[in-house]
């Protein structure tokens, strides 16, 4: 059965080694079915660690993660993983047709391939290829841009009809056009009712998120509906700036005496 894509993290802690500092500490998050959440934070803040817990690539040391109200460890592992599509920065292409690369490991249903490519915002790109979805990729074949590659990865992810789509820094090497295409693709996923977890830095991409989770050193710095979190971050920035200015303009007498 298809999950609805309701995700909950409850006080999740993760340590890669018993004696290591926690990579994730007391993380809580609720994502409703069909919502898009963006996880934002500097490199090493724990973003990938967090999403890698969803298909149980690892289990947390503390706390609980639930999909559709059921703890992950109570799901059949194969059933759980079939609900979750992962798109990372490194989409591997096989030396075969676009259709084969989208269906990857499953029987090629041409209509379904086309609809997944459409959902990944590659419709126009495919329409301009003389061989369409039969165009060969790989050596001797066409060069894909980084953005096209990622969107083929997205189409591949959709082919499995997941409830949940995870995009881990999909836009690291994208130009503006690639970013706009990705944003439209995420909007397409939302239109299909998918729950989307998006790891990204780009403000343009964050704008499609319904909610934001800001991670800092494995802890939640801010979390909630997008606009509220953005406003809180802006306020923090202004306060930090005001504090820095106030420190610079020290009251007379407080300055150290010049020799
Ligand atoms: P991000 O995706 O935000 O860049 P990561 O989740 O990759 O952050 O990393 C968070 C922390 O966990 C970092 O300190 C990183 O070194 C550590 N870490 C990530 N993966 C592993 C691993 N497989 N083994 C040990 N430490 C890891
Ligand atoms: Mg990462």
């Amino acid at each position: 059965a298809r999950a609805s894509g309701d995700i909950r993290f409850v006080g999740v802690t993760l340590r890669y080694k018993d004696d290591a500092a926690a990579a994730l500490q007391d993380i809580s998050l609720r994502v409703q079915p069909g919502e898009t959440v963006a996880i934002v934070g500097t490199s090493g803040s724990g973003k990938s660690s967090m999403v890698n817990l969803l298909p149980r690539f690892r289990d947390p040391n503390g706390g609980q993660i639930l999909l559709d109200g059921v703890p992950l460890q109570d799901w059949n592992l194969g059933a759980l993983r079939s609900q979750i599509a992962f798109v990372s920065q490194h989409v591997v292409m096989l030396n075969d047709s676009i259709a084969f690369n989208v269906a990857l490991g499953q029987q090629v249903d041409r209509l379904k391939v086309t609809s997944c490519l459409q959902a990944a915002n590659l419709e126009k790109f495919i329409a301009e290829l003389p061989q369409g979805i039969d165009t060969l990729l790989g050596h001797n074949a066409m060069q894909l841009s980084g953005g096209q590659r990622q969107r083929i990865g997205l189409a591949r992810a959709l082919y499995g009809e997941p409830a949940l789509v995870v995009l881990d820094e999909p836009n690291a090497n994208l130009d503006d056009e690639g970013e706009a295409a990705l944003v439209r693709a995420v909007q397409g996923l939302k239109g299909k009712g998918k729950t989307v977890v998006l790891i990204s830095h780009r403000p343009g991409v964050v704008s499609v998120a319904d909610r934001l989770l800001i991670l800092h050193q494995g802890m939640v710095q801010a979390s909630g509906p997008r606009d509220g979190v953005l406003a809180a971050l802006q306020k923090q920035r202004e306060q930090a700036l005001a504090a820095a200015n106030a420190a610079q303009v020290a009251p007379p007498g407080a300055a150290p005496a010049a020799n």
Side-chain angles (χ1 to χ4, degrees):
R2 283 293 103 191
S4 72
D6 176 311
I7 304 166
R8 239 181 322 157
F9 281 68
V10 186
V12 169
T13 296
L14 174 71
R15 268 172 224 286
Y16 284 99
K17 282 192 182 139
D18 289 344
D19 54 349
L24 296 173
Q25 217 172 307
D26 196 22
I27 304 288
S28 293
L29 172 69
R30 176 81 189 263
V31 189
Q32 307 275 0
E35 270 189 335
T36 295
V37 59
I39 302 177
V40 180
T42 51
S43 179
S45 58
K47 306 181 297 295
S48 296
S49 296
M50 196 172 155
V51 293
N52 286 343
L53 297 174
L54 287 165
R56 295 189 66 197
F57 293 149
R58 223 167 242 283
D59 286 328
N61 299 73
Q64 184 82 276
I65 304 171
L66 307 99
L67 174 65
D68 285 14
V70 178
L72 296 189
Q73 65 270 21
D74 293 345
W75 279 82
N76 169 283
L77 191 59
L80 172 71
R81 290 185 175 169
S82 77
Q83 311 281 349
I84 305 169
F86 251 76
V87 186
S88 74
Q89 267 164 263
H90 314 285
V91 179
V92 176
M93 291 299 164
L94 301 184
N95 189 14
D96 207 306
S97 68
I98 290 177
F100 183 90
N101 270 282
V102 170
L104 202 69
Q106 296 183 56
Q107 194 158 13
V108 175
D109 172 339
R110 298 178 65 85
L111 272 180
K112 193 168 151 191
V113 164
T114 302
S115 106
C116 292
L117 288 164
Q118 199 174 342
N121 196 26
L122 282 165
E123 199 177 16
K124 236 181 91 200
F125 165 71
I126 301 294
E128 283 165 6
L129 299 172
Q131 313 279 318
I133 63 170
D134 298 311
T135 304
L136 294 175
L137 302 175
H139 49 262
N140 300 334
M142 59 174 318
Q143 283 293 328
L144 295 171
S145 75
Q148 288 160 350
R149 248 182 128 75
Q150 286 175 344
R151 278 177 285 130
I152 289 184
L154 187 55
R156 178 186 292 167
L158 292 174
Y159 199 80
E161 295 175 22
L164 169 65
V165 180
V166 178
L167 298 148
D168 191 351
E169 310 219 43
N171 53 348
N173 304 306
L174 287 194
D175 53 17
D176 289 346
E177 198 190 315
E179 176 180 313
L182 180 74
V183 166
R184 284 195 297 274
V186 172
Q187 282 163 343
L189 297 184
K190 283 171 94 163
K192 290 182 142 216
K194 306 287 182 196
T195 301
V196 180
V197 179
L198 181 61
I199 294 180
S200 180
H201 282 293
R202 299 253 200 148
V205 173
V206 166
S207 70
V208 297
D210 302 304
R211 47 180 61 245
L212 290 182
L213 179 91
I214 316 286
L215 276 183
H216 180 65
Q217 295 179 351
M219 286 179 277
V220 176
Q221 191 184 2
S223 174
R226 182 196 59 218
D227 292 340
V229 171
L230 289 178
L233 285 182
Q234 179 64 22
K235 199 168 162 192
Q236 271 180 21
R237 238 177 262 128
E238 281 164 11
Q239 282 171 348
L241 202 64
N245 284 338
Q248 256 175 18
V249 190
N259 297 331

